[in-house]
Amino acid sequence: MKLNKVLVSAAALSGIAAAGTAANADTVSVKAGDTVSELAQKFNTTVEAIQKANNLQNVNFITVGEQLNIPTNDNAEQQVQQPQANAAQVQQEQAAIAQQQAAQRQAQLAAQQKAAQAQAALQAQQAAQAAAAQKQAEEQAAQQAAAQKAQQEAAAAQAAKEQQEKVEQAAQAQAAAQKQAEEQAAAKKAQEEAQQQAAAAQAAKEQQEKAAQQAQQAAAQKQAEEAAAQKAQEAKEAAAAQAAANANAKAAQQRAAQQAQAQQQQQKQQVAQQNTTQRQAANNNNQQSNNNNNSNSSEAAAKAWIVAHESGGNYSARNGQYIGAYQLSASYLHGDYSQANQDRVANQYVASRYGNWVNAQKHWEQCGWY
């Protein structure tokens, strides 16, 4: 119910009770900043008249939008002159209006209080949500920091592991290089010793060949002298003596050649054995010294057999890339086609491939080459 309608009804009743006396009043709506005293001054009335017309409990408390009945001076005089019965009725109606206004104000206060409480609750909820969000953000930041720390530690561990592996690989490479250098030094030393032994063997062979030649020359000279002394003997005896002398010389030459070849073979076997362990070399040398007397003749015979089948004993023979009495590949001789180098290389080749000349002859007999 609007207040102006109520007030008009009350004024109408008052007019009826006043036996048709006309009422003079204005209804205004309270605006922001309005006061009862300003309204009384504006409408040329009094504060008491407005208070009575609207049954205000406190003239200093009016609300925005509130409808006030503003009496003029004529209306105020008529209201003062109204009979007591009409005044009582008007007061009752005004009391009812005042109660309604008070209830409305209380409802507005309650609504404002409820809105304030709702706003406070909303702010509290928002604060709680903000705190929860901040806590969640802090937990996520802590988790991210922990994950980042774990990644850094893992990366550091991986880097340390890779560094350790590099150090171990470098140490292994250094050890392998040192071992290879030691092996190369040992091989070089063994090769030098073998070359020295081969040179000594060659010198011994040349000395033996020279001695054999001197022996042959001495034997031939002696035979010549004996033949000259026996000029008077019969031709048959002279021929027989000459044949015997030639046979003896040939046998001596063969023995000297066999001894030289046996010595070469022995030297070659020693060089091959030195490439293995010293213990094997010592055992092989001991065994060789025990078997020299039995193997020299068979080794020399096998060597002579191969020479006879390869070249007929011709150190100048050639067959394509194969050169000399042993028909060795030119790459083995390295441009030195002398008899001494052919003998030395042949002995080294047979010793490294077959072990001895007897085995080489067996291979030749089976395959047609050695």
Side-chain angles (χ1 to χ4, degrees):
M1 180 185 296
K2 294 183 179 181
L3 294 177
N4 58 350
K5 291 182 179 181
V6 174
L7 293 174
V8 171
S9 298
L13 293 173
S14 299
I16 294 171
T21 302
N24 188 8
D26 293 329
T27 301
V28 298
S29 177
V30 177
K31 298 178 181 179
D34 288 346
T35 62
V36 175
S37 60
E38 290 178 352
L39 293 174
Q41 184 178 2
K42 180 179 180 181
F43 289 97
N44 194 21
T45 185
T46 62
V47 173
E48 291 77 5
I50 295 174
Q51 182 178 12
K52 288 182 179 181
N54 296 281
N55 195 23
L56 297 177
Q57 300 295 326
N58 187 357
V59 295
N60 295 320
F61 181 76
I62 57 176
T63 61
V64 176
E66 184 178 355
Q67 301 294 322
L68 294 179
N69 185 25
I70 306 300
T72 62
N73 290 333
D74 296 338
N75 190 26
E77 292 175 357
Q78 290 177 0
Q79 289 178 357
V80 172
Q81 295 174 359
Q82 287 178 354
Q84 293 296 327
N86 293 335
Q89 184 177 359
V90 171
Q91 288 179 355
Q92 289 178 358
E93 291 178 356
Q94 291 177 351
I97 293 171
Q99 289 178 356
Q100 290 178 357
Q101 291 177 348
Q104 184 178 4
R105 285 193 292 270
Q106 289 178 357
Q108 290 177 351
L109 292 174
Q112 291 176 356
Q113 185 177 5
K114 185 176 181 180
Q117 292 176 354
Q119 183 67 23
L122 179 60
Q123 291 177 353
Q125 184 179 2
Q126 291 176 350
Q129 290 177 353
Q134 183 177 2
K135 182 177 181 182
Q136 184 177 3
E138 292 175 353
E139 292 177 352
Q140 290 178 352
Q143 291 176 357
Q144 291 177 355
Q148 185 176 4
K149 183 179 180 182
Q151 291 177 354
Q152 292 176 352
E153 292 177 352
Q158 182 65 23
K161 182 179 179 182
E162 292 176 355
Q163 185 65 25
Q164 182 65 24
E165 290 177 353
K166 289 181 180 178
V167 172
E168 293 177 354
Q169 291 176 357
Q172 292 176 358
Q174 185 176 2
Q178 185 176 0
K179 183 178 179 181
Q180 184 177 5
E182 293 175 353
E183 291 177 352
Q184 290 177 352
K188 183 177 180 181
K189 183 177 180 182
Q191 185 178 4
E192 291 175 353
E193 292 177 353
Q195 290 176 352
Q196 292 175 357
Q197 291 178 357
Q202 181 64 25
K205 179 184 177 183
E206 292 176 354
Q207 186 67 26
Q208 289 177 356
E209 290 176 351
K210 185 177 181 180
Q213 290 176 358
Q214 291 176 353
Q216 289 176 358
Q217 291 175 358
Q221 185 176 1
K222 183 179 180 180
Q223 289 175 359
E225 292 174 355
E226 290 177 352
Q230 294 177 359
K231 287 181 180 180
Q233 292 181 357
E234 296 179 354
K236 184 177 180 179
E237 291 178 356
Q242 184 66 34
N246 291 335
N248 291 333
K250 185 177 181 180
Q253 185 178 4
Q254 290 179 351
R255 285 194 299 272
Q258 289 175 356
Q259 289 177 357
Q261 291 174 355
Q263 186 175 4
Q264 263 189 344
Q265 181 62 28
Q266 182 179 0
Q267 293 295 331
K268 182 59 182 177
Q269 290 177 352
Q270 290 177 356
V271 171
Q273 290 170 354
Q274 285 176 356
N275 291 330
T276 62
T277 62
Q278 295 180 353
R279 182 176 180 181
Q280 291 176 346
N283 292 334
N284 290 335
N285 288 333
N286 292 333
Q287 183 177 1
Q288 185 178 4
S289 63
N290 293 330
N291 297 328
N292 279 338
N293 295 330
N294 296 328
S295 63
N296 287 339
S297 59
S298 60
E299 280 292 290
K303 183 177 182 180
W305 187 93
I306 289 177
V307 169
H309 283 75
E310 288 290 334
S311 66
N314 184 6
Y315 281 88
S316 299
R318 286 179 176 267
N319 182 14
Q321 66 172 347
Y322 301 103
I323 299 174
Y326 304 94
Q327 288 294 285
L328 297 170
S329 176
S331 61
Y332 287 176
L333 297 173
H334 300 290
D336 185 2
Y337 303 141
S338 65
Q339 179 178 347
N341 190 50
Q342 290 185 32
D343 292 337
R344 179 172 59 256
V345 173
N347 288 330
Q348 293 176 354
Y349 171 79
V350 169
S352 63
R353 186 176 181 88
Y354 303 102
N356 53 54
W357 285 98
V358 173
N359 293 335
Q361 180 183 352
K362 292 179 181 179
H363 186 274
W364 202 105
E365 291 173 348
Q366 292 175 359
C367 302
W369 57 274
Y370 78 108

